[in-house]
Structure formats: C-alpha cells, structure tokens
Amino acid sequence: MSGDRPLSGLRVLDFGQYIAAPGAGQNLADLGADVIKVEPLSGDQARGIGPFGTAMVRANNRGKRSIAVDLRAPEGEAVVRELLATADVLLHNFRHGVSERLGLGPDTLLARHPRLVYGFVTGFGTRGPSAYRVGLDIAAQAEFAVMDLTGAADGDPQRVGFAVADVLAAQALTSGVLAALLQRSGTGRGDVVETSLMEAVVHAQASTWAEHELSGSVPRRRGNGQALAAPAADLVRTRDGGALVLSAYTREKFAALCEVIGRPELADDPRFASNPARVEHRPELLDLLHDTLGRLDRAEALERLRGAGIVCGAVRSFDELADDPDVRASGLIADCGGGHTAPTTAFSLGGRRPASTPPAPRTGEHTVRILAELGRGEAEIRALVEAGAFAAADVATPPPHKEEPA
C-alpha cells in the first residue's frame, strides 16, 4: 500500500492502554494516519506486566509515535492542548469519569474543537448501573454469555482463547470512527463515538440472540457442533492422531458427505434425512463419521471432503499459521524489522496491504521530536524532561509521577 493510504494526512491522539483503544489506533495507523500514542510517564500499563503485556504493546501499537507526558503537570496539559488543536481523532479507554477529571471529556473538547472525532471504549457503557466499574476482557466474556456458551457441555465455562471482547471493541470503535470521519466530510463537524466491551460482545452474538428467540430455549454450552444444525462445526478424529471439523447440514451437502464416507443410503435414513432429524440423532451420526473418516489420515480425509465441496478444516496449532500457504500468499503478515512480524490489515485495498510496518515505539520514543514539532527548543525540551513533565526514551528522566490508573 503506497504513501497515499486512505487516512494519510489525518492525526490521531491515542490515549489508550492495553488492547481495546490501542487496537483501534492500530487500525487507523495501518490506514495511514499519524497516530501519536500519548502515554503516562511510566508508559502504557501493559508495558509493566511482563511478556503478556509486551505482546499487547507490540501487537497494537505498530507504526505509532510515542510521547510520554504527565497530564496533570501544567506543561504537559499545555502540550496536549496544542496537540488537540492539530488532531482529527482522539481515542481512549479511560474508566468512565477519568477523562473529565483530566480535562479531556467529550463535551469540553468538542466545544473547543468542533471537527474532532472523539472515540472511546468503556467496559459496560456509560448509562447503566455498571458505568463506573473497571472493565476487562474476561469480565465481558463472563457476564455476557461468551464463557457460558464456550466449552464442553459437561465441563466448566471457558473463555475464548484470545481477548475476543477487547478485539471486537477495537473493531467496533474503528468502524464508528471511520463513520464519523465520513460524516464530517459532509457536515464539517466531528462527533462522539462510544462503544464498550459489553456492546461489542452482545452485538457479535446476534445470530445466537435470534436462535434464542426462535427456539424459546436458552442456548447451552455444547462444545463442538451447532445447536440447530448437524453435522455443523463437528469434530472428527483421524487415524494419524489429527482432527478436522466439517459442516454438511444442507440436504445436498449431506448427500455428498454420505457418498464420501461410502454410505450413500444414509441420506434417506429417517434418522438423518432432514436437518432436525440429524440434530436429534447427532451422537449416532458422529459415531458413523468417526467410524468412517477416522480410518483415514487427516490429509486424505480432507482431500476427499474438499473434493466433494464439503466445508471442512484441519484443526491446527498456532505455530502452524506462519507457514500456511494461504496466509503467506495473502500478504497479511508484515515485516516489522528485527525479525519481528505482525498481521496487518484484515483486508486489502486494490489488492494491496503494507508489506512492512515500523514496530511499536518505546515509551516516549518520539517525545523530543513531537515537542520540537510544536516549537520547543532543545534546551526547553531538556528542562521539561528534567522537571518531570515529560519522559523521553533518550533523555534521562526522574522517577515518574504515579498517575491514577484508567
């Protein structure tokens, strides 16, 4: 993707920490925006929790610039005001009420900067009884049915294997910000984009919501397999110890599956002749699939299923992804330098994606450059750092003032 990426020329101030807001900022950076990560003097809180947090920072802050500032220091507040005057978008995931205490509330900023698109994420929204609760991904997964629907029917509820609520919220915030920027192109005015982990997770379960209304029953955790279709997302173990999943719940696809397993008569068996019947007799159907496909190696079973046009997939481990030929061919994985790679935009424009991207910045890596862009001279910048209003990666800094966590 060339230098004229869709958001080139736009500036984003990203006050986010961890994943939800920084993830949205990452999306905007990949689209060409100049994203300035505004960090506390001690850095994004994720920087202080070891490899778990380092991975968050690395994944959600590529290509951004970092300025580390004490937002409560008069000098820090003044610089943030100057940056706001140049910004098109502001992002944060402060706990509800914190932005107002910092002088960064939406009403205040849009009154001063009417073209600003102001986007933020909370845990549970700002209108209900949980508005002031601290919200993290796992709480959203637990409280909004994700864990209850994940795992084996007779096992404990399970979280999804990645921070799905945070990621969904980042995507929702990105969509809202892009919509607000498009709206601004016609009205000349910015707007407030608000989402939450709650809203993102509930929205993502729209089909389950509809199934609940249609069936009148509460969706239950069942492990693999779809509640109202069979075979659908069902797992089969193969002779070589591998596993695959398959779906063939339409009449045509189920008939094709019966041919693949050498049992064409099953398509007319009363137990399996319709989707509702197959759902009712799922255990018997799975026994048949294990008895037939389970006699094959995974590669051979997949080849036969794919040849018949049946949706299927190998169950693979994470370390197999980088060598996947489709992943490689897509151009999805960008070079970040130093042997570090990362998935970039989940879509291409005109068949193009960034082939390379700068890594995530160190805390305050661009403090000096950004202050210089705002007209501060070298001596003034050093004095500001020494006074503790800013931290710069290459300038000695006193112990940081501890800011209130978001």
Side-chain angles (χ1 to χ4, degrees):
M1 199 176 290
S2 63
D4 59 347
R5 289 180 287 173
L7 299 187
S8 292
L10 295 184
R11 171 168 286 179
V12 178
L13 299 188
D14 179 358
F15 291 83
Q17 303 197 44
Y18 297 109
I19 295 175
Q26 180 65 77
N27 291 336
L28 301 179
D30 281 337
L31 292 173
D34 173 23
V35 181
I36 297 177
K37 183 174 178 66
V38 184
E39 304 191 62
L41 298 182
S42 53
D44 185 325
Q45 292 176 12
R47 294 186 188 271
I49 54 176
F52 178 60
T54 300
M56 293 184 199
V57 173
R58 174 180 286 190
N60 295 289
N61 296 281
R62 292 176 290 99
K64 299 180 185 179
R65 301 195 289 164
S66 170
I67 181 170
V69 54
D70 180 355
L71 295 175
R72 292 186 176 86
E75 301 89 347
E77 182 183 359
V79 164
V80 169
R81 282 201 305 269
E82 290 181 54
L83 287 173
L84 282 164
T86 71
D88 297 280
V89 177
L90 178 146
L91 303 173
H92 75 73
N93 55 344
F94 295 130
R95 190 169 69 252
H96 185 42
V98 170
S99 62
E100 286 77 9
R101 291 201 296 274
L102 293 172
L104 296 172
D107 294 341
T108 298
L109 294 190
L110 265 71
R112 294 175 183 167
H113 310 288
R115 288 181 53 81
L116 183 68
V117 171
Y118 186 108
F120 69 100
V121 182
T122 61
F124 303 96
T126 59
R127 298 167 179 82
S130 299
Y132 291 94
R133 283 178 57 192
V134 175
L136 291 176
D137 175 90
I138 191 59
Q141 289 201 42
E143 298 207 8
F144 302 108
V146 175
M147 288 185 65
D148 188 59
L149 292 173
T150 305
D154 57 352
D156 289 334
Q158 297 285 319
R159 72 175 185 89
V160 175
F162 64 98
V164 63
D166 280 334
V167 172
L168 289 169
Q171 300 306 316
L173 184 57
T174 303
S175 296
V177 166
L178 293 175
L181 288 169
L182 180 61
Q183 175 180 269
R184 188 183 74 170
S185 69
T187 66
R189 298 186 65 82
D191 214 332
V192 179
V193 178
E194 174 183 350
T195 191
S196 65
L197 305 185
M198 171 193 71
E199 290 162 277
V201 163
V202 173
H203 177 268
Q205 298 178 91
S207 291
T208 307
W209 188 288
E211 287 177 10
H212 175 41
E213 288 191 337
L214 288 167
S215 68
S217 60
V218 178
R220 295 298 183 191
R221 177 170 68 256
R222 58 178 302 116
N224 296 303
Q226 299 286 352
L228 302 180
D234 284 296
L235 183 139
V236 177
R237 293 284 180 183
T238 53
R239 181 176 61 186
D240 55 358
L244 60 86
V245 291
L246 63 86
S247 289
Y249 47 83
T250 67
R251 180 171 180 81
E252 295 77 14
K253 293 299 183 183
F254 183 68
L257 176 61
C258 293
E259 293 287 346
V260 167
I261 65 173
R263 298 290 302 275
E265 75 278 5
L266 293 178
D268 296 315
D269 187 311
R271 297 171 298 168
F272 310 127
S274 70
N275 184 58
R278 291 192 293 274
V279 171
E280 182 180 354
H281 296 279
R282 186 191 298 268
E284 298 161 75
L285 175 59
L286 289 179
D287 285 343
L288 285 164
L289 293 177
H290 283 288
D291 186 54
T292 50
L293 293 174
R295 298 177 185 179
L296 306 174
D297 289 342
R298 186 177 71 178
E300 183 182 358
L302 289 169
E303 183 178 4
R304 292 188 185 185
L305 292 166
R306 290 168 182 164
I310 294 168
V311 173
C312 59
V315 178
R316 298 185 298 180
S317 62
F318 199 89
D319 61 357
E320 296 177 85
L321 298 186
D323 292 327
D324 180 87
D326 294 300
V327 172
R328 290 202 309 269
S330 72
L332 173 64
I333 307 303
D335 179 13
C336 303
H340 166 41
T341 61
T344 181
T345 57
F347 59 88
S348 61
L349 286 175
R352 302 184 306 277
R353 285 190 178 97
S356 62
T357 178
R362 295 170 292 163
T363 303
E365 180 175 341
H366 304 93
T367 296
V368 171
R369 182 178 301 176
I370 292 169
L371 290 174
E373 290 173 2
L374 294 174
R376 273 43 173 200
E378 182 178 343
E380 184 181 3
I381 292 171
R382 181 168 292 278
L384 288 170
V385 171
E386 291 175 351
F390 297 87
D394 299 322
V395 178
T397 311
H401 167 73
K402 185 174 178 58
E403 297 191 6
E404 179 180 349

